[in-house]
Amino acid sequence: MEHILLILAACGYCVGSVGYFFFLVRNGENVHRAAWISLVGGMLFHGAAIGMRFFAAGHLEVSTLSEALSFFSWLLVVTYLVIQNRLGLRILGTFVAPLAAAFTLPSTILPSHMMPASPLLKSVWVWIHVSTLFAANALFAVAFAAAVLYLYQERIIKKKRPGSLDDRLPALERLDRVNHVCLLMGFPLMTLGLLAGFLYASTVWKSPWNWDPKEIFALITWFIYAILLHERLAVGWRGRKAAWLAIFGFSAVLITFLGVNLFLKGHHTLFSSQ
Amino acid sequence: MDIYLVGMNHKTAPVEIRERIAQVCRLNASPLEHRTHCRAVEELFFLSTCNRVEFLFTTSNGLQAVEEMTDLMVRLVDLPKDVVVNHLYVHRNLDAVRHLFRVASSLDSMVVGEPQILGQIKDAYREATQYRTVGVVLNRLLHKTFSVAKRVRTETNIGCHAVSVSYAAVTLAKKIFGELQGKRVMLLGAGEMAELAAEHFRSNGVRNMVIVNRTLERAVELARRFHAQTIPFSHFLDALLQVDIVLCSTAAAEPILRAEDLKPRMRKRKNRPLFFIDIAMPRNVDPKIHDLDNVYLYDIDDLKGIVDFNLSERRHEAEKAQHIIDTETLQFQQWLQTLDVVPTIIALRRKAEEIRRAELRKTLSQLPELSDKEKEAIGVLTETIIKKLLHDPIVFLKKKSVRDSKNAYVNFTQQLFNLDQEDAPTSSLDCTDG
């Protein structure tokens, strides 16, 4: 049942992606409504699947790569829907829906058996660590989408050559604001998630810092976003520079989240594709 | 019954006549007041804008009605009849319908895609309804016109592209800042173009303006008009810290703003975006400032380039719009054709109703013991029988109404039921909707 719900969620995201693509190239209230309903439907199926797994395991299940991808894509869609509701940038769905589909589809194919319940995973610190970091990553993904749109729109304005899509894109200031808001919300969550991780590591492995590859990459990612936040608030970075750094930061997130899990061994191998 | 459209517009009339047309637009008295003098005209609608004057009417005597409308037009523009006739166009039936759809969809405008025309047609329709000069046909046609124009707006991008320099500047500013409410605009120089652009900015929500001009009188005059502040010319560089959009139109012989002047000020502004519109010739702003982050500079050639691109986009969209209009015109033609069978349908219904009432009266007079409720039930029964019996012949006639052979079917029905068609009221044509 849970797998069927996951497949339905992936279908919802795929249909939503197609709908948002049509919405991008040709404006239309009905097209957007259909895309939005598909995305929301996918999110509800997905939420039900994650909820079922949560109750079956008795705790948040992100032990395997399949579960991690699934949980991340669900949070991404939820984050986008909240941001769209608050800031109203519908066109961002053009990025978020395919991103959610791209993360959910592998999780429907990868082995979905539940890992034997490890006592290590039942701590509340793990729950805080995982949920805050995943929420931060989802916000950074939305910031990434806004940054890409910003660079495209800015390029059109700078090149002074109107294109067929530029009328469909939001104003530069709005895109920059989404980027900024995602950073303002995502960075404290990321910091909280890392602190929870260090605290938990110090109780389990007797040291907060264990030179684990994931720890190293997570800290690098944190520094990238710390620099971005500092430059934005203190120096007044905005626009193109901030957009590039948001893209760079999300690339670091992807490396930390996927690359390290897949290719490097460490304490977080627990959260790998086994 | 035919639909006619008689008019003049910017394509058929030279500028001297268009000046008269523009005056007609400002007249207080409506020509619809003269409707009663036009005996051949049945329904009448009058549209006048700066670039067009048109009469749309229905008539059963086309030649006389066109003559009457031409005379009315001559009186309106107050020019010799032969001059007016030379620049008039007359469209009949489908051509008139198509023309009206084109006008409302702004395909026939001087600037294709301009949105004002639909509002002007709606105002003219409101006036016609006040004078009660529109009936079943023109009511239906004008409502159809509104829906066609709306369809063209929603299904094509005909009105999406700015086609004037000042409007292109406002559109660009919106691409950078989104909504312009709360933004501050500086007018550097106060020429006519600047004034026009400032007007556009104001109509888009900008309330905060600063005027910088070498001649104080002109600055003060503009400031009063736009409720703006004035700043001495020598202070304009520092004032850049507080503005978002700068419209440059001074007569300076060389650039008055250079990248090296702006760079340190961008840091002080915390890199808030700054948009320069340089419509001066020679240019006021060093083109290099466009390379700075968060600074955007568009000069008059850039804006003209956008306008040209947008005009070509509109022409492309106009082809799509024309297709929609042709489809809708054909649909309206089908409705018009159904009108020919309406008098027969009405006569048929009337005859059946008369027979029903007469027979009901006779029968009920022979049954005095019936209660009111029972009489009412019998009345409903007879009504239902008549309705069901006539349903198929009426549907049959409506179907045939769009065919060339409809007259044969109408004659046949009239003979079959021995109908006296002259009794049929033509004013109840809207029964075809049922």
Side-chain angles (χ1 to χ4, degrees):
Chain A
M1 181 61 193
E2 178 205 316
H3 194 66
I4 293 170
L5 285 172
L6 199 59
I7 290 171
L8 284 174
C11 291
Y13 297 155
C14 289
V15 173
S17 305
V18 174
Y20 272 107
F21 173 75
F22 279 111
F23 179 63
L24 176 72
V25 293
R26 183 167 177 77
N27 197 359
E29 200 52 46
N30 291 339
V31 179
H32 175 260
R33 195 174 299 125
W36 187 83
I37 288 170
S38 303
L39 202 61
V40 171
M43 185 271 287
L44 293 175
F45 287 129
H46 205 162
I50 290 170
M52 284 177 77
R53 206 166 177 88
F54 177 86
F55 284 115
H59 60 93
L60 185 63
E61 268 291 293
V62 279
S63 319
T64 64
L65 184 63
S66 163
E67 288 163 347
L69 288 174
S70 168
F71 186 55
F72 172 69
S73 56
W74 181 73
L75 270 181
L76 173 62
V77 176
V78 171
T79 306
Y80 162 69
L81 291 173
V82 171
I83 285 179
Q84 196 215 297
N85 185 260
R86 306 292 299 176
L87 301 175
L89 269 183
R90 305 194 295 189
I91 211 86
L92 278 182
T94 314
F95 280 79
V96 172
L99 218 53
F103 280 107
T104 310
L105 279 171
S107 71
T108 62
I109 299 160
L110 287 167
S112 63
H113 58 272
M114 218 177 275
M115 295 291 289
S118 162
L120 285 178
L121 297 173
K122 290 199 170 172
S123 165
V124 71
W125 290 109
V126 174
W127 197 91
I128 295 172
H129 174 63
V130 170
S131 56
T132 51
L133 279 179
F134 275 47
N137 288 352
L139 283 161
F140 293 149
V142 175
F144 161 81
V148 171
L149 284 175
Y150 181 96
L151 289 175
Y152 182 68
Q153 176 77 309
E154 205 244 5
R155 187 182 155 82
I156 289 170
I157 295 173
K158 281 280 184 189
K159 291 271 175 198
K160 301 181 179 179
R161 281 191 212 110
S164 52
L165 275 186
D166 55 333
D167 283 337
R168 302 280 304 108
L169 299 180
L172 293 180
E173 273 211 339
R174 285 189 77 200
L175 289 166
D176 192 56
R177 182 169 152 67
V178 169
N179 197 332
H180 189 55
V181 167
C182 288
L183 182 66
L184 282 180
M185 289 162 64
F187 186 74
L189 282 172
M190 188 189 200
T191 309
L192 181 66
L194 290 180
L195 285 176
F198 290 139
L199 269 171
Y200 182 63
S202 63
T203 58
V204 176
W205 294 293
K206 309 297 174 205
S207 164
W209 185 261
N210 297 286
W211 293 103
D212 179 62
K214 190 118 175 173
E215 285 174 359
I216 297 167
F217 277 94
L219 201 63
I220 292 170
T221 309
W222 184 86
F223 269 116
I224 292 171
Y225 281 108
I227 291 167
L228 176 55
L229 188 64
H230 173 266
E231 295 297 300
R232 263 194 179 272
L233 295 178
V235 185
W237 264 29
R238 51 166 73 214
R240 200 190 321 176
K241 278 183 189 163
W244 274 117
L245 208 50
I247 290 171
F248 184 56
F250 187 64
S251 311
V253 166
L254 286 181
I255 292 169
T256 311
F257 179 47
L258 293 177
V260 176
N261 271 2
L262 288 172
F263 302 113
L264 297 170
K265 297 235 178 260
H267 292 318
H268 288 81
T269 308
L270 187 66
F271 304 96
S272 73
S273 60
Q274 37 186 303
Chain B
M1 192 275 308
D2 288 310
I3 300 173
Y4 275 87
L5 189 141
V6 174
M8 277 194 291
N9 67 14
H10 57 281
K11 289 178 186 168
T12 62
V15 67
E16 312 84 69
I17 297 181
R18 290 218 303 279
E19 283 167 359
R20 300 288 182 128
I21 291 176
Q23 282 170 5
V24 172
C25 189
R26 288 189 276 272
L27 286 178
N28 286 327
S30 169
L32 295 177
E33 288 171 359
H34 305 287
R35 155 80 184 78
T36 45
H37 305 300
C38 307
R39 294 179 193 285
V41 174
E42 288 158 13
E43 297 177 39
L44 180 62
F45 167 81
F46 171 68
L47 172 70
S48 100
T49 69
C50 304
N51 281 314
R52 76 176 64 241
V53 179
E54 286 177 351
F55 286 106
L56 176 75
F57 53 95
T58 60
T59 177
S60 301
N61 183 353
L63 279 177
Q64 192 189 329
V66 170
E67 189 65 28
E68 287 171 356
M69 285 299 107
T70 309
D71 289 342
L72 189 53
M73 185 78 84
V74 168
R75 286 206 296 279
L76 269 181
V77 296
D78 194 20
L79 284 169
K81 188 170 180 177
D82 56 331
V83 175
V84 172
V85 169
N86 282 341
H87 304 294
L88 271 186
Y89 45 81
V90 178
H91 297 301
R92 182 170 166 250
N93 289 339
L94 280 198
D95 288 338
V97 172
R98 191 178 289 112
H99 178 84
L100 186 66
F101 288 173
R102 278 179 59 82
V103 170
S105 309
S106 186
L107 292 190
D108 200 52
S109 300
M110 194 176 249
V111 180
V112 172
E114 54 107 354
Q116 291 86 353
I117 184 71
L118 184 59
Q120 288 163 330
I121 294 178
K122 283 184 176 171
D123 289 343
Y125 175 60
R126 208 168 293 125
E127 190 173 89
T129 52
Q130 278 162 7
Y131 282 95
R132 295 172 187 271
T133 59
V134 284
V136 176
V137 177
L138 290 194
N139 264 326
R140 174 99 176 197
L141 174 56
L142 283 156
H143 280 119
K144 189 72 187 166
T145 304
F146 304 147
S147 72
V148 170
K150 193 178 172 201
R151 209 184 136 194
V152 166
R153 288 265 147 206
T154 48
E155 292 182 24
T156 72
N157 288 324
I158 196 156
C160 289
H161 309 285
V163 288
S164 73
V165 166
S166 48
Y167 190 48
V170 173
T171 310
L172 272 167
K174 282 185 174 172
K175 278 187 191 172
I176 296 167
F177 300 106
E179 291 307 311
L180 297 182
Q181 281 99 340
K183 298 295 167 204
R184 196 171 161 90
V185 173
M186 178 194 279
L187 300 187
L188 194 54
E192 268 180 41
M193 281 278 276
E195 200 178 327
L196 190 65
E199 199 68 75
H200 272 289
F201 278 117
R202 194 168 68 161
S203 61
N204 278 278
V206 173
R207 291 286 168 269
N208 203 342
M209 289 199 201
V210 183
I211 318 271
V212 182
N213 197 40
R214 286 186 206 271
T215 319
L216 189 62
E217 288 83 357
R218 175 73 179 149
V220 170
E221 185 193 324
L222 266 191
R224 196 178 300 127
R225 196 169 149 204
F226 292 108
H227 305 290
Q229 264 183 289
T230 57
I231 286 179
F233 195 86
S234 53
H235 289 55
F236 89 86
L237 278 175
D238 293 329
L240 287 176
L241 296 178
Q242 274 92 42
V243 298
D244 304 290
I245 299 162
V246 184
L247 191 70
C248 309
S249 63
T250 74
E254 54 188 44
I256 54 172
L257 181 66
R258 296 184 183 281
E260 47 273 29
D261 298 327
L262 188 62
K263 211 171 175 179
R265 288 177 173 83
M266 283 307 288
R267 255 181 245 129
K268 284 187 189 167
R269 286 172 58 86
K270 291 231 165 179
N271 287 306
R272 276 183 296 114
L274 192 51
F275 177 36
F276 288 93
I277 306 151
D278 187 359
I279 52 177
M281 195 54 67
R283 289 177 294 181
N284 287 165
V285 183
D286 173 10
K288 280 184 190 153
I289 73 157
H290 189 62
D291 299 334
L292 297 177
D293 270 355
N294 300 306
V295 178
Y296 308 92
L297 165 67
Y298 274 68
D299 62 33
I300 191 77
D301 282 358
D302 300 328
L303 293 171
K304 274 186 180 155
I306 292 172
V307 167
D308 290 343
F309 174 83
N310 289 348
L311 278 171
S312 68
E313 286 286 297
R314 281 197 180 193
R315 277 192 285 274
H316 178 67
E317 292 299 311
E319 288 170 19
K320 282 194 227 167
Q322 187 57 53
H323 179 74
I324 293 172
I325 286 171
D326 289 341
T327 313
E328 296 281 0
T329 307
L330 283 178
Q331 281 178 13
F332 191 78
Q333 181 192 25
Q334 288 183 354
W335 180 80
L336 271 181
Q337 284 171 335
T338 62
L339 291 183
D340 294 339
V341 300
V342 168
T344 306
I345 291 172
I346 291 171
L348 188 59
R349 280 186 180 153
R350 177 175 282 181
K351 180 163 186 176
E353 180 63 13
E354 279 168 6
I355 294 171
R356 184 187 77 83
R357 284 184 186 207
E359 294 305 315
L360 189 64
R361 211 166 27 241
K362 250 192 263 173
T363 306
L364 291 183
S365 65
Q366 288 165 14
L367 298 166
E369 69 280 9
L370 290 181
S371 68
D372 286 349
K373 205 175 172 186
E374 286 164 334
K375 285 178 187 170
E376 195 183 325
I378 293 173
V380 171
L381 173 73
T382 55
E383 258 177 34
T384 311
I385 291 170
I386 294 289
K387 216 174 190 176
K388 291 200 169 171
L389 198 63
L390 291 184
H391 179 260
D392 286 336
I394 288 173
V395 170
F396 174 81
L397 271 177
K398 281 184 179 173
K399 272 187 191 163
K400 299 298 176 194
S401 66
V402 291
R403 299 202 178 170
D404 294 338
S405 54
K406 66 184 169 199
N407 286 340
Y409 291 106
V410 167
N411 285 335
F412 183 68
T413 309
Q414 285 174 359
Q415 286 174 39
L416 192 66
F417 289 96
N418 193 21
L419 299 176
D420 182 4
Q421 211 200 315
E422 282 178 12
D423 292 341
T426 50
S427 58
S428 306
L429 295 176
D430 52 349
C431 75
T432 50
D433 288 341

